[in-house]
Amino acid sequence: MPITPELNAEIRILNLYNLDSVREGLKAHKEADEATKAAIARLHQKGLLTQPDGGYLTDLGVHCAEHLQMALRILEVPG
Protein backbone atom coordinates (compact mmCIF):
# COMPACT_ATOMS: atom_id res chain seq x y z
CA MET A 1 0.00 0.00 0.00
CA PRO A 2 1.60 3.26 -1.08
CA ILE A 3 1.74 6.17 1.35
CA THR A 4 -0.11 8.90 -0.52
CA PRO A 5 -0.04 12.53 0.60
CA GLU A 6 -3.65 12.08 1.78
CA LEU A 7 -2.79 9.03 3.88
CA ASN A 8 0.28 10.78 5.24
CA ALA A 9 -1.93 13.69 6.37
CA GLU A 10 -4.32 11.28 8.10
CA ILE A 11 -1.41 9.56 9.87
CA ARG A 12 -0.13 12.94 11.01
CA ILE A 13 -3.54 13.82 12.50
CA LEU A 14 -3.93 10.49 14.30
CA ASN A 15 -0.45 10.88 15.74
CA LEU A 16 -1.49 14.19 17.35
CA TYR A 17 -4.03 12.55 19.65
CA ASN A 18 -2.98 12.04 23.26
CA LEU A 19 -3.95 8.45 24.03
CA ASP A 20 -3.40 8.96 27.76
CA SER A 21 -6.60 11.01 27.96
CA VAL A 22 -9.74 10.20 25.97
CA ARG A 23 -11.10 13.60 27.05
CA GLU A 24 -8.59 15.44 24.88
CA GLY A 25 -9.80 16.11 21.38
CA LEU A 26 -8.64 18.13 18.40
CA LYS A 27 -10.38 20.79 16.38
CA ALA A 28 -9.30 22.13 13.01
CA HIS A 29 -8.93 25.89 13.31
CA LYS A 30 -10.06 28.22 10.57
CA GLU A 31 -6.38 28.87 9.81
CA ALA A 32 -5.61 25.18 9.24
CA ASP A 33 -4.46 24.33 5.73
CA GLU A 34 -6.88 22.62 3.38
CA ALA A 35 -4.96 19.31 3.41
CA THR A 36 -5.35 19.10 7.20
CA LYS A 37 -9.05 19.97 7.10
CA ALA A 38 -9.62 17.38 4.36
CA ALA A 39 -7.69 14.71 6.30
CA ILE A 40 -9.79 15.33 9.40
CA ALA A 41 -13.00 15.13 7.36
CA ARG A 42 -11.87 11.83 5.80
CA LEU A 43 -11.05 10.38 9.24
CA HIS A 44 -14.55 11.35 10.36
CA GLN A 45 -16.08 9.70 7.29
CA LYS A 46 -14.09 6.54 8.08
CA GLY A 47 -15.59 6.48 11.58
CA LEU A 48 -12.37 7.34 13.43
CA LEU A 49 -13.34 10.82 14.67
CA THR A 50 -16.56 12.05 16.25
CA GLN A 51 -16.82 15.33 14.30
CA PRO A 52 -16.01 16.39 10.73
CA ASP A 53 -13.76 19.15 12.11
CA GLY A 54 -11.98 16.91 14.63
CA GLY A 55 -13.47 16.14 17.99
CA TYR A 56 -12.62 12.96 19.84
CA LEU A 57 -11.45 9.57 18.68
CA THR A 58 -14.17 6.96 18.38
CA ASP A 59 -13.50 3.48 19.80
CA LEU A 60 -12.26 2.46 16.36
CA GLY A 61 -10.18 5.64 16.19
CA VAL A 62 -8.54 4.85 19.54
CA HIS A 63 -7.55 1.38 18.34
CA CYS A 64 -6.24 2.76 15.07
CA ALA A 65 -4.27 5.55 16.76
CA GLU A 66 -2.80 3.11 19.30
CA HIS A 67 -1.48 0.83 16.55
CA LEU A 68 -0.28 3.74 14.46
CA GLN A 69 1.54 5.46 17.30
CA MET A 70 3.15 2.17 18.35
CA ALA A 71 4.33 1.54 14.79
CA LEU A 72 5.79 5.04 14.59
CA ARG A 73 7.66 4.53 17.89
CA ILE A 74 9.06 1.22 16.61
CA LEU A 75 10.15 2.76 13.32
CA GLU A 76 11.61 5.92 14.87
CA VAL A 77 15.29 6.31 14.10
CA PRO A 78 17.26 6.56 17.34
CA GLY A 79 18.97 9.92 17.57
Side-chain angles (χ1 to χ4, degrees):
M1 172 184 218
I3 306 291
T4 64
E6 292 80 13
L7 182 57
N8 191 40
E10 292 173 17
I11 289 169
R12 187 175 46 82
I13 297 300
L14 289 172
N15 194 43
L16 292 174
Y17 277 89
N18 178 1
L19 298 175
D20 293 329
S21 174
V22 293
R23 295 183 181 230
E24 284 187 39
L26 296 176
K27 181 171 175 76
H29 292 282
K30 292 179 227 175
E31 301 87 29
D33 61 82
E34 291 305 315
T36 298
K37 290 178 187 177
I40 291 171
R42 285 191 305 275
L43 290 170
H44 173 68
Q45 290 172 346
K46 293 175 181 180
L48 301 176
L49 302 180
T50 59
Q51 301 293 319
D53 64 348
Y56 301 99
L57 292 168
T58 63
D59 288 341
L60 179 61
V62 169
H63 291 296
C64 182
E66 286 172 341
H67 289 285
L68 171 73
Q69 290 182 20
M70 177 62 75
L72 292 174
R73 279 193 295 276
I74 291 168
L75 294 171
E76 187 175 32
V77 177

